[in-house]
Amino acid sequence: MSLYVIARIQDEEYALDIEKVQTIEKMMPITRVPQTESHVKGVINLRGEIIPIISLRKKLGLEEKEYDEDTRIVVLKAYDMLVGVIVDNANEVVDIPEENIDKLTFSDASDDFSKYVSKVGKIKDKVLLILDLKKLLDVRM
């Protein structure tokens, strides 16, 4: 049994390993940090913890959109760091049995999408794209 938080970006649903999700927050003021990459939106102060915030839309090579009441920051703890990821919506947890998870291989992993999606999970009639957090967060180990 593997639990995932479902984050929606545009019309796609992405799955984030629930063990890496610390909290899901409504949008809040983000303090811009100069001279950072375009997908880094800045930092937030969440209960005394300073957390860098990235735009998942920008990281996946998608066009930015205005934040609305459904926009969320999913705070992830992975590889000894806290990072907030801005998504269009995140309010569902699903259980994807291991036998319903398939690894993806791309012949050309040069686009943003194929760099960050390494598996797909199937539940009923849905196909969920499972994000590779190590690649998404640019962790080099």
Side-chain angles (χ1 to χ4, degrees), residues 18-57:
I18 199 165
E19 292 182 11
K20 308 285 191 232
V21 176
Q22 292 292 294
T23 182
I24 299 173
E25 303 289 330
K26 289 184 176 181
M27 278 307 291
M28 60 183 67
I30 298 172
T31 303
R32 183 93 179 116
V33 177
Q35 299 182 352
T36 56
E37 295 182 50
S38 64
H39 66 273
V40 178
K41 304 313 274 182
V43 295
I44 60 170
N45 182 345
L46 184 64
R47 296 180 275 280
E49 188 97 36
I50 303 301
I51 300 171
I53 303 296
I54 65 172
S55 166
L56 188 55
R57 280 180 162 271

XYZ file of all heavy atoms in Angstrom, residues 18-57:
318
model
N 3.067 10.584 0.125
C 2.539 11.224 1.338
C 3.582 11.253 2.461
O 3.543 12.121 3.324
C 1.231 10.549 1.801
C 0.462 11.495 2.738
C 1.518 9.212 2.460
C -0.959 11.105 2.974
N 4.523 10.333 2.434
C 5.561 10.333 3.469
C 6.464 11.560 3.364
O 7.138 11.917 4.325
C 6.396 9.058 3.389
C 5.607 7.833 3.782
C 6.424 6.567 3.753
O 7.663 6.640 3.625
O 5.813 5.493 3.843
N 6.473 12.199 2.207
C 7.303 13.398 2.009
C 6.520 14.691 2.245
O 7.104 15.755 2.320
C 7.857 13.429 0.575
C 8.567 12.168 0.143
C 9.915 12.049 0.771
C 10.715 10.944 0.121
N 11.261 9.993 1.019
N 5.193 14.599 2.337
C 4.359 15.794 2.500
C 4.247 16.146 3.985
O 3.788 15.337 4.780
C 2.955 15.582 1.886
C 2.064 16.788 2.160
C 3.059 15.323 0.392
N 4.711 17.346 4.341
C 4.643 17.811 5.727
C 3.309 18.475 6.013
O 2.711 18.255 7.050
C 5.768 18.811 5.998
C 7.132 18.189 5.983
C 7.321 17.244 7.152
O 7.346 17.664 8.293
N 7.426 15.962 6.861
N 2.871 19.325 5.080
C 1.625 20.055 5.266
C 1.169 20.617 3.925
O 1.967 20.721 2.984
C 1.812 21.201 6.299
O 0.569 21.882 6.494
C 2.855 22.194 5.846
N -0.093 20.964 3.850
C -0.646 21.624 2.664
C -1.248 22.939 3.149
O -2.101 22.932 4.049
C -1.708 20.752 1.972
C -1.084 19.432 1.508
C -2.318 21.506 0.781
C -2.086 18.421 0.968
N -0.766 24.037 2.592
C -1.159 25.358 3.051
C -1.866 26.135 1.948
O -1.569 25.935 0.761
C 0.085 26.156 3.484
C 0.902 25.493 4.566
C 0.221 25.499 5.928
O -0.561 26.437 6.195
O 0.471 24.567 6.712
N -2.760 27.038 2.364
C -3.330 27.996 1.405
C -2.234 28.964 1.011
O -1.237 29.118 1.723
C -4.498 28.742 2.036
C -5.713 27.872 2.242
C -6.858 28.692 2.767
C -8.103 27.795 2.855
N -9.258 28.526 3.336
N -2.429 29.641 -0.104
C -1.434 30.625 -0.541
C -1.250 31.681 0.542
O -2.201 32.034 1.236
C -1.862 31.299 -1.843
C -1.538 30.487 -3.073
S 0.180 29.958 -3.221
C 1.004 31.498 -3.507
N -0.038 32.128 0.661
C 0.316 33.161 1.622
C 1.370 34.046 0.978
O 1.904 33.693 -0.078
C 0.828 32.529 2.916
C 2.065 31.661 2.728
S 2.622 30.848 4.233
C 1.295 29.704 4.540
N 1.633 35.204 1.574
C 2.639 36.078 0.972
C 3.993 35.384 0.838
O 4.446 34.692 1.746
C 2.717 37.249 1.960
C 1.426 37.216 2.692
C 1.018 35.781 2.763
N 4.600 35.564 -0.330
C 5.908 34.982 -0.619
C 6.899 36.129 -0.770
O 6.649 37.075 -1.515
C 5.865 34.144 -1.911
C 4.885 32.976 -1.747
C 7.260 33.636 -2.286
C 4.626 32.196 -3.031
N 7.984 36.050 -0.052
C 9.027 37.070 -0.149
C 9.978 36.687 -1.272
O 10.606 35.624 -1.233
C 9.805 37.178 1.180
O 8.882 37.464 2.224
C 10.871 38.263 1.093
N 10.038 37.551 -2.273
C 10.869 37.297 -3.445
C 12.343 37.336 -3.064
O 12.756 38.159 -2.250
C 10.572 38.366 -4.512
C 11.303 38.179 -5.787
C 10.454 37.373 -6.746
N 11.201 37.228 -7.975
C 11.625 36.066 -8.444
N 11.330 34.966 -7.824
N 12.293 36.001 -9.559
N 13.107 36.423 -3.614
C 14.548 36.385 -3.396
C 15.202 36.727 -4.731
O 14.992 36.020 -5.717
C 15.007 34.991 -2.905
C 16.521 34.950 -2.748
C 14.298 34.628 -1.608
N 15.979 37.819 -4.760
C 16.588 38.216 -6.041
C 17.626 37.205 -6.536
O 18.202 36.458 -5.746
C 17.248 39.560 -5.728
C 17.288 39.672 -4.258
C 16.306 38.716 -3.676
N 17.810 37.209 -7.835
C 18.826 36.415 -8.515
C 18.673 34.910 -8.277
O 19.640 34.212 -8.007
C 20.223 36.875 -8.122
C 20.467 38.324 -8.503
C 21.861 38.794 -8.162
O 22.628 38.112 -7.518
N 22.200 39.983 -8.622
N 17.418 34.434 -8.344
C 17.175 32.992 -8.267
C 16.605 32.530 -9.602
O 16.215 33.349 -10.436
C 16.166 32.649 -7.143
O 14.963 33.384 -7.363
C 16.729 32.977 -5.780
N 16.557 31.232 -9.796
C 16.000 30.695 -11.036
C 14.518 31.063 -11.124
O 13.861 31.279 -10.105
C 16.177 29.186 -11.067
C 17.646 28.792 -11.128
C 17.815 27.290 -11.213
O 17.161 26.672 -12.079
O 18.585 26.748 -10.420
N 13.987 31.091 -12.351
C 12.617 31.582 -12.553
C 11.554 30.736 -11.851
O 10.502 31.240 -11.494
C 12.301 31.661 -14.041
O 12.336 30.383 -14.625
N 11.814 29.446 -11.620
C 10.817 28.613 -10.938
C 10.834 28.814 -9.417
O 9.934 28.378 -8.730
C 11.007 27.136 -11.292
C 12.289 26.557 -10.791
N 13.456 26.627 -11.505
C 12.595 25.917 -9.649
C 14.425 26.050 -10.829
N 13.930 25.617 -9.694
N 11.847 29.483 -8.885
C 11.916 29.773 -7.450
C 11.163 31.075 -7.210
O 11.564 32.132 -7.674
C 13.371 29.887 -6.959
C 13.399 30.230 -5.475
C 14.130 28.592 -7.235
N 10.034 30.972 -6.496
C 9.175 32.141 -6.299
C 9.599 32.973 -5.103
O 9.187 34.111 -4.957
C 7.719 31.707 -6.120
C 7.182 30.863 -7.261
C 7.497 31.424 -8.621
C 6.523 32.426 -9.092
N 6.851 32.911 -10.453
N 10.389 32.402 -4.187
C 10.841 33.124 -3.005
C 10.795 32.232 -1.790
O 10.965 31.009 -1.906
N 10.546 32.859 -0.620
C 10.489 32.096 0.622
C 9.245 32.504 1.411
O 8.718 33.601 1.242
C 11.754 32.302 1.496
C 12.985 31.763 0.805
C 11.933 33.763 1.873
N 8.789 31.605 2.264
C 7.705 31.913 3.200
C 8.210 31.663 4.615
O 9.168 30.901 4.820
C 6.424 31.076 2.948
C 6.701 29.572 3.088
C 5.828 31.410 1.592
C 5.441 28.704 3.101
N 7.553 32.313 5.554
C 7.821 32.055 6.957
C 6.630 31.260 7.477
O 5.561 31.800 7.690
C 7.964 33.376 7.720
C 8.285 33.152 9.180
O 8.148 32.058 9.709
N 8.720 34.207 9.845
N 6.811 29.961 7.623
C 5.724 29.079 8.068
C 5.997 28.657 9.511
O 6.870 27.825 9.766
C 5.613 27.848 7.151
C 4.461 26.899 7.449
C 3.113 27.579 7.233
C 4.561 25.640 6.597
N 5.274 29.266 10.405
C 5.420 28.978 11.842
C 6.880 29.039 12.294
O 7.385 28.173 13.003
C 4.781 27.628 12.169
C 3.270 27.615 11.932
C 2.616 26.296 12.244
N 2.649 25.339 11.167
C 1.820 25.322 10.116
N 0.885 26.245 10.005
N 1.912 24.400 9.200
N 7.569 30.090 11.824
C 8.949 30.317 12.228
C 9.990 29.624 11.363
O 11.182 29.851 11.537
N 9.567 28.803 10.453
C 10.492 28.084 9.560
C 10.513 28.792 8.205
O 9.462 29.018 7.602
C 10.007 26.650 9.383
C 10.964 25.754 8.657
C 11.817 24.938 9.604
O 11.319 24.522 10.667
O 12.983 24.718 9.266
N 11.702 29.152 7.719
C 11.835 29.784 6.414
C 11.935 28.675 5.361
O 12.828 27.820 5.424
C 13.076 30.696 6.353
C 12.999 31.762 7.460
C 13.209 31.332 4.974
C 11.771 32.665 7.393
N 11.000 28.685 4.407
C 10.894 27.595 3.428
C 10.945 28.169 2.013
O 10.151 29.055 1.675
C 9.567 26.830 3.636
C 9.525 26.248 5.051
C 9.398 25.728 2.590
C 8.190 25.655 5.432
N 11.862 27.685 1.189
C 11.865 28.118 -0.211
C 10.640 27.575 -0.939
O 10.177 26.464 -0.668
C 13.161 27.517 -0.786
C 13.525 26.413 0.138
C 12.928 26.728 1.476
N 10.120 28.378 -1.867
C 8.907 28.023 -2.602
C 9.210 27.983 -4.097
O 9.792 28.919 -4.643
C 7.786 29.070 -2.353
C 7.494 29.192 -0.864
C 6.530 28.728 -3.149
C 6.942 27.932 -0.223
N 8.802 26.871 -4.725
C 8.975 26.776 -6.177
C 7.617 26.605 -6.852
O 6.676 26.106 -6.250
C 9.922 25.619 -6.588
C 9.331 24.261 -6.228
C 11.296 25.787 -5.963
C 10.139 23.085 -6.776
N 7.540 27.041 -8.095
C 6.329 26.875 -8.896
C 6.438 25.568 -9.674
O 7.329 25.412 -10.506
C 6.184 28.041 -9.875
O 5.211 27.724 -10.847
N 5.514 24.643 -9.380
C 5.545 23.373 -10.109
C 5.206 23.593 -11.581
O 5.762 22.939 -12.459
C 4.580 22.370 -9.480
C 4.652 20.941 -10.023
C 6.062 20.378 -9.942
C 3.689 20.036 -9.263
N 4.309 24.563 -11.845
C 3.984 24.881 -13.239
C 5.245 25.282 -13.999
O 5.512 24.777 -15.089
C 2.989 26.037 -13.317
C 1.574 25.653 -13.067
C 0.670 26.872 -13.166
N -0.697 26.462 -13.334
C -1.280 26.242 -14.496
N -0.632 26.440 -15.605
N -2.521 25.816 -14.558
